């Protein structure tokens, strides 16, 4: 092992290793947490750990500590449900944020097919509706039961089943509803004749990986979810320790690093067996810590050698199944932290670490006070129509709204607006499959600016980093990308289409950011394919950042 690293090996199927630099910075924080008895209190679900203002919220949000035990009651129900569904083997998950990100990681990592529908893009929704409809079971997941995206998906699929010739009763048996007890969606599900599985109400959405929200869609897709619960249970035995406690160490390191200026967390898949965990952890950490002008900004990096994995204000963490800390083979990247172990253990470790980091930062890791702002703006725009806006330039298939007169100048100005300690957020209200090349912007802009750059598909990111954008440090520069809709799709029973909903969500988020006087560049693609190619070409021409 490298002399630059202090190895910390734990039981519970998971290993955390940290660099000597960040371990030294975290020592006083660790000592204080031990003195305050935090590990044992967290394991005992003590709701006083985050201060008086957070007590009421924490009292009903700590079920994730041992939800893996209660989730075992789902196993016989899932076996029966799978048998009853018979040849309905195309599983579509309609969910947002915590309801979709954990199942996507589970299915990708364990090699099972799951169609995740977490968009309002009409092209992406229409493509899902055309795919094996006769063999489709739709898992509609919403903790509150009132999520506009998932309700729209439910309406679209129900109409599609009816249009295919099914009776209302037959169509209802193509739905599995996962929600909290007593939610509006539970009542709707009963009316539809859908299968209903109720989730653990004492677990918030972003901490719900090991609840029905994570278990139901993946079990139906063929995952042995009991194995995930076994992994979490094995790891849970480490949560009470002052020393042999990986989550405690990870949380202290994250919190101490943020307090000392490393408030961006680069999440790097080390390629050793777990796929996409960074996207799940991004939502967990950003939404939990980004408030009161504070927070840890997760930056999901494509590979260990991608731009944005390092920096003076970046804590670099590799996540995987087998590799330890040290240079990731073939990359030259030497991370500050390495978290390696089984997926079920990873979920519980990062949840506990995020809660500990919240304690270190002095914030409530269970609320999301700014998430509703963009939603409220969206509803108002749906009622009143899109606000008028005058473009500042039109260049090929790209129309820009801002101060610059050309695409390249607009991008250059945006990168400069991030400043020395800021970040850039790319927010793409597009089809994340048909328009997938848009994601290449993240690395190009990171290389050009030398600053951390995040990438999010809208409206998916509104249930993730959207909280950090509004509630965290006001140091972001924002690039929003929207696209022309070629073929719109009605939302059955509503006075708007998916395209109108998507446009209203983008406009509502622009309003929320503009209200904070943050740098914002809005680019609209009149032809998506051509516009994306133009964007990538312009970004590639920007002068690469050079360290001084």
């Amino acid at each position: 092992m490298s002399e630059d690293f202090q190895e910390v090996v734990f039981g519970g199927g998971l290993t955390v290793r940290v660099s000597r630099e960040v371990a030294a910075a975290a020592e006083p924080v660790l000592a204080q947490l031990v003195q305050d008895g935090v590990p044992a209190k967290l394991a005992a679900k003590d709701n006083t750990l985050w201060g008086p203002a957070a007590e009421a919220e924490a009292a009903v949000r700590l079920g994730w500590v041992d939800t893996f035990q209660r989730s075992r009651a789902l196993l016989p129900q899932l076996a029966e449900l799978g048998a009853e569904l018979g040849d309905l083997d195309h599983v579509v998950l309609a969910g947002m944020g915590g309801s979709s990100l954990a199942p996507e990681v589970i299915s990708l990592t364990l090699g099972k097919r799951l169609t995740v529908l977490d968009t309002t893009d009409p092209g992406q929704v229409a493509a899902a509706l055309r795919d094996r409809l006769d063999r489709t079971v739709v898992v509609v997941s919403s903790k509150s039961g009132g999520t506009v995206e998932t309700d729209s998906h439910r309406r679209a699929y129900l109409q599609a089943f009816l249009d295919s010739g099914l009776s209302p009763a037959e169509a209802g048996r193509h739905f599995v509803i996962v929600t909290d007890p007593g939610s509006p969606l539970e009542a709707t599900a009963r009316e539809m004749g859908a299968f209903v599985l109720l989730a653990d109400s004492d677990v918030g959405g972003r901490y719900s990986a090991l609840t029905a929200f994570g278990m139901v869609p993946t079990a139906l897709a063929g995952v042995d979810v009991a194995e995930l619960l076994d992994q979490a249970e094995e790891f849970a035995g480490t949560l009470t320790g002052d020393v042999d406690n990986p989550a405690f160490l990870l949380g202290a390191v994250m919190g101490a690093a943020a307090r000392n200026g490393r408030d961006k967390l680069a999440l790097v898949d080390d390629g050793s067996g777990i796929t996409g965990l960074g996207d799940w952890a991004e939502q967990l950490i950003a939404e939990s810590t980004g408030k009161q002008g504070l927070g840890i900004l997760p930056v999901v990096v494509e590979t260990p050698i991608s731009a944005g994995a390092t920096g003076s204000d970046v804590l670099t963490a590799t996540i995987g199944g087998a590799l330890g800390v040290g240079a990731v083979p073939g990359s030259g990247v030497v991370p500050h932290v390495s978290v390696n172990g089984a997926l079920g253990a990873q979920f519980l470790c990062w949840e506990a670490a995020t809660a500990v980091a919240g304690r270190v930062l002095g914030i409530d890791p269970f609320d999301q006070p700014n998430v509703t702002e963009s939603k409220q703006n969206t509803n108002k725009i749906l009622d009143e129509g899109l606000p008028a806006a005058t473009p500042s330039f039109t260049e090929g298939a790209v129309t820009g709204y801002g101060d610059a007169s050309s695409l390249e100048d607009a991008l250059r100005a945006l990168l400069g607006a991030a400043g020395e300690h800021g970040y850039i957020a790319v927010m793409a209200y597009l089809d994340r499959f048909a328009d997938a090349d848009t994601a290449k912007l993240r690395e190009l802009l990171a290389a050009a600016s030398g600053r951390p750059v995040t990438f999010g598909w809208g409206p998916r990111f509104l249930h993730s980093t959207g909280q950090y954008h509004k509630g965290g440090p006001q140091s972001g520069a924002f690039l929003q990308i929207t696209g022309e809709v070629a073929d719109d799709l009605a939302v059955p029973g509503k006075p708007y289409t998916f395209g109108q909903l998507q446009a209203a969500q983008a406009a509502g988020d622009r309003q929320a950011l503009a209200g904070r006087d943050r740098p914002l560049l809005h680019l609209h693609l009149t032809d998506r394919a051509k516009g994306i190619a133009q964007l990538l070409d312009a970004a590639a021409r920007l002068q690469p950042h050079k360290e001084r």
Side-chain angles (χ1 to χ4, degrees), residues 120 148-149 378 429 459 462 500-510:
T120 49
V148 65
E149 296 93 343
T378 295
Y429 285 82
L462 291 176
Q500 290 167 335
L501 175 56
Q502 184 185 43
Q505 289 175 313
D509 200 39
R510 290 197 300 273

Side-chain angles (χ1 to χ4, degrees), residues 307-383:
T310 59
S312 61
D313 56 349
V314 177
L315 184 74
T316 304
T318 57
I319 306 174
L323 299 181
V325 151
V328 176
S331 74
V333 172
V334 181
H336 299 104
V337 181
S338 174
V339 185
N340 304 106
L343 184 54
Q346 290 269 6
F347 284 137
L348 186 53
C349 178
W350 285 96
E351 288 167 353
T354 300
V356 170
R359 161 88 178 195
V360 175
L361 293 174
I363 54 92
D364 177 357
F366 306 115
D367 68 351
Q368 48 282 331
N370 304 107
V371 163
T372 59
E373 184 176 352
S374 290
K375 295 179 184 179
Q376 292 166 347
N377 291 346
T378 295
N379 291 334
K380 185 176 181 181
I381 291 167
L382 285 172
D383 289 338

Side-chain angles (χ1 to χ4, degrees), residues 133-472:
L133 185 67
D134 61 325
R135 292 165 46 198
T136 293
V137 56
V138 185
V139 180
V140 182
S141 290
S142 173
K143 182 175 176 64
S144 68
T147 308
V148 65
E149 296 93 343
T150 50
D151 179 63
S152 299
H153 300 149
R154 180 191 63 81
R155 290 169 178 271
Y157 264 101
L158 179 57
Q159 189 63 54
F161 288 131
L162 295 175
D163 290 346
S164 74
L166 297 183
S167 68
E170 290 169 332
R173 305 308 279 176
H174 281 254
F175 287 89
V176 175
I177 307 298
V178 182
T179 190
D180 274 6
S183 82
L185 184 55
E186 182 187 1
T188 299
R190 306 291 185 195
E191 293 171 7
M192 291 171 59
F195 299 98
V196 181
L197 288 100
L198 298 177
D200 193 332
S201 59
D202 286 343
V203 182
R206 57 188 178 272
Y207 291 81
S208 66
L210 297 169
T211 71
F213 289 109
M215 301 294 101
V216 172
T218 53
L220 295 181
V223 172
D224 179 4
V225 294
E227 185 177 3
L228 294 171
L229 300 178
D230 291 342
Q231 293 164 357
E233 184 162 18
E234 181 185 1
F235 180 76
T238 69
L239 289 179
T240 57
D242 291 346
V243 180
D244 291 339
N245 186 331
F248 179 49
L249 174 67
L250 178 59
V253 165
M254 288 165 54
R259 285 186 4 186
N260 291 326
R262 290 192 183 274
D263 60 350
K264 287 86 176 175
L265 177 66
L267 297 167
V268 187
D269 182 346
D270 70 10
S272 66
I274 293 179
T275 303
L277 189 65
D279 289 330
W280 171 82
E282 175 187 52
Q283 179 243 356
L284 172 71
I285 297 164
E287 200 168 44
S288 296
T289 69
K291 57 200 72 170
Q292 300 174 28
L294 303 170
I296 299 167
L297 176 68
V299 182
V300 180
V301 180
E302 299 82 2
T303 71
I305 60 173
S306 297
T310 59
S312 61
D313 56 349
V314 177
L315 184 74
T316 304
T318 57
I319 306 174
L323 299 181
V325 151
V328 176
S331 74
V333 172
V334 181
H336 299 104
V337 181
S338 174
V339 185
N340 304 106
L343 184 54
Q346 290 269 6
F347 284 137
L348 186 53
C349 178
W350 285 96
E351 288 167 353
T354 300
V356 170
R359 161 88 178 195
V360 175
L361 293 174
I363 54 92
D364 177 357
F366 306 115
D367 68 351
Q368 48 282 331
N370 304 107
V371 163
T372 59
E373 184 176 352
S374 290
K375 295 179 184 179
Q376 292 166 347
N377 291 346
T378 295
N379 291 334
K380 185 176 181 181
I381 291 167
L382 285 172
D383 289 338
E384 300 177 1
L386 288 172
T390 302
S392 57
F393 68 87
T394 297
E395 192 174 305
V398 181
T399 299
Y401 298 83
D403 296 328
S405 58
S406 73
L407 176 56
E408 194 169 327
D409 286 347
L411 290 175
R412 186 175 290 108
L414 184 74
L415 300 192
E420 187 178 353
H421 300 292
Y423 67 95
I424 299 153
V426 182
M427 309 169 296
Y429 285 82
L430 300 169
D431 183 328
R432 71 181 176 111
F433 300 115
D435 303 322
D437 279 354
T438 315
K440 296 177 182 177
L441 273 174
R442 196 217 66 80
E443 189 171 4
L444 290 171
L445 297 181
S449 66
R451 298 307 306 143
V453 177
T454 66
F455 184 92
W457 295 103
R460 166 176 164 144
F461 77 87
L462 291 176
H463 299 259
S464 177
T465 51
Q467 166 62 42
Y468 185 97
H469 293 167
K470 286 90 173 176

